[in-house]
Each structure stands twice: as structure tokens, then as C-alpha cells.
Amino acid sequence: SQSAARPAPGWTIMSGSGLHRHFTFTDNANAPVTPTAGGTFGRWNTAFATTAFANVTLQPWSQGTTAFQERDAFVGLVTALRANPANLSTKVWLYPGFPQAPAALPVPDTAATFEQVWAAPLPTMTASTAWPRTRAGTVWMKQQVEAAVPGVEVNIVPVGEVLSRLDGARRATPITRPDPRNPGQNIVYDSVWDLYRDTIHFGPDQANPARIEGNYVLALTMAAELYN
């Protein structure tokens, strides 16, 4: 998000790609940039050099890249951000990757809980290890980046912790609401897996265009952190 002078958010997304791909992407003509009502920031290298930011949020990924490649890209992006004197106090955020659902949707009640997947121990980190989309993997990334860029605090957006607590609450007390697709029928939420669109993403899809609860939880968490 930009500074108070022009508080318009913006984002750059490359489907299925992590920070390493963004950091090493050289085809400016086809760079993935999403415009917003406030305009677009352009590619990260131009944006960081020319724009004062209040917050910058980075999300590593685990497929087609390694944990160390994602770490090095995170370090490179933060270093480029700090190279602009206007961004010396920009708050840096790490947005965790969500754990993959342990089974195809709908996830059976016998599958692992969100917390069981999220709490998996950190594997031995080698040059070929993918970034673990877990609590331990998130903390590892934070610590690695902070050690590499002195004076930078990497703040974790606590979506993983929120989803874990929500999962426990729904297992204890399921929520039922009308199914907008099928009048007279209900949707029962008894775990966070019920909020997944597929085994990786949240949000609506063609089969369930009314499914916005997962996205709402994530957006609410982000807003609560940014605005304290």
C-alpha cells in the first residue's frame, strides 16, 4: 500500500509462481501487473525506486522453486525496497502460504485437522527443499530474512493462526447457513477445510459463486494487522 499521500493499494501476481520468479523476471512487456482504482505501481523494481510505501507484503511459494530461492528473492526485494530513502521505514510483511488440504474436497472428517497440518515440524532444509507452507516454515522465512537484512523486521500476517483457531472453533461448534445454490438446503461449516475453494485456494468459484467466507476471513485479518 502507498503512503498516506496516496493511499491506494496495488499488487503484482504471477499465477503459480513465487518470489523467485518475480525477482528474476526480465520480460517487462509481459510483466504481471494488476491495475487498481488508484493506478498501478508497475513492476517491483520501478515501484520500489519511485514510490513511498507504508506497507509491502510478500508471499513466498512452494512449487517450482525452493525455500532458499524464495528466501534469497525475499532478501533481494527487501534490499531493493530499502535502497529508496523514502522506504526506510516501510513496514515489511510476510504473508504465509496456506497449508494444502489433506484430501480432495470435500475433505472427510477423518482427515488431519488444519492445526495438525499447520503445526508440522520443519524438515531438514537443503538446497532442494520446497518452502514449507506451515507455521515452522513461516517462522523460518522470517528469521532467515531478518538475519540477512540487518535492521529489518519481517512482520507475519497471522492468517495461519486465525485459520487454526477458526478450525478449532468450528469443530467444537459447527455453523449452519442457507445454501444460496439450493433453496431449502443448508451448508454446514464444521472445519476450515469447508472454506477452501480447492485444495489450495479460498474464495468463490463457478460451482459455488457465493462462497466468500474464506476470503473474508483473510481480508479481515490483513486489515486488522495493517490498521492495528
Side-chain angles (χ1 to χ4, degrees), residues 143-161:
Q143 294 174 340
Q144 290 281 310
V145 175
E146 289 179 342
V149 188
V152 169
E153 179 183 6
V154 177
N155 303 275
I156 296 174
V157 183
V159 290
E161 305 308 321

Side-chain angles (χ1 to χ4, degrees), residues 8-33:
W11 55 92
T12 301
I13 298 173
M14 186 183 296
S15 179
S17 300
L19 298 179
H20 174 71
R21 179 83 191 280
H22 281 279
F23 188 64
T24 58
F25 200 75
T26 58
D27 185 355
N28 288 310
N30 295 313
V33 174

Side-chain angles (χ1 to χ4, degrees), residues 12 22-23 25-26 28 31 41-51 53 77 80-81 84 87:
T12 301
H22 281 279
F23 188 64
F25 200 75
T26 58
N28 288 310
F41 299 145
R43 285 201 64 223
W44 64 266
N45 50 353
T46 301
F48 288 174
T50 60
T51 305
F53 288 92
L77 289 165
L81 176 72
N84 181 351
N87 290 322

Side-chain angles (χ1 to χ4, degrees), residues 13-154:
I13 298 173
M14 186 183 296
S15 179
S17 300
L19 298 179
H20 174 71
R21 179 83 191 280
H22 281 279
F23 188 64
T24 58
F25 200 75
T26 58
D27 185 355
N28 288 310
N30 295 313
V33 174
T34 303
T36 69
T40 179
F41 299 145
R43 285 201 64 223
W44 64 266
N45 50 353
T46 301
F48 288 174
T50 60
T51 305
F53 288 92
N55 299 277
V56 167
T57 306
L58 302 173
Q59 184 181 32
W61 189 234
S62 61
Q63 298 176 5
T65 182
T66 70
F68 286 103
Q69 286 177 322
E70 292 299 278
R71 178 205 61 185
D72 292 346
F74 202 125
V75 168
L77 289 165
V78 172
T79 300
L81 176 72
R82 287 290 192 258
N84 181 351
N87 290 322
L88 292 176
S89 60
T90 301
K91 200 165 187 178
V92 176
W93 297 88
L94 164 59
Y95 198 94
F98 311 121
Q100 186 159 332
L105 304 186
V107 177
D109 293 338
T110 55
T113 68
F114 184 94
E115 174 60 23
Q116 288 171 332
V117 179
W118 178 241
L122 189 72
T124 300
M125 302 301 285
T126 69
S128 61
T129 303
W131 180 54
R133 302 202 313 264
T134 61
R135 178 184 289 120
T138 302
V139 172
W140 177 88
M141 184 66 71
K142 167 185 168 67
Q143 294 174 340
Q144 290 281 310
V145 175
E146 289 179 342
V149 188
V152 169
E153 179 183 6
V154 177

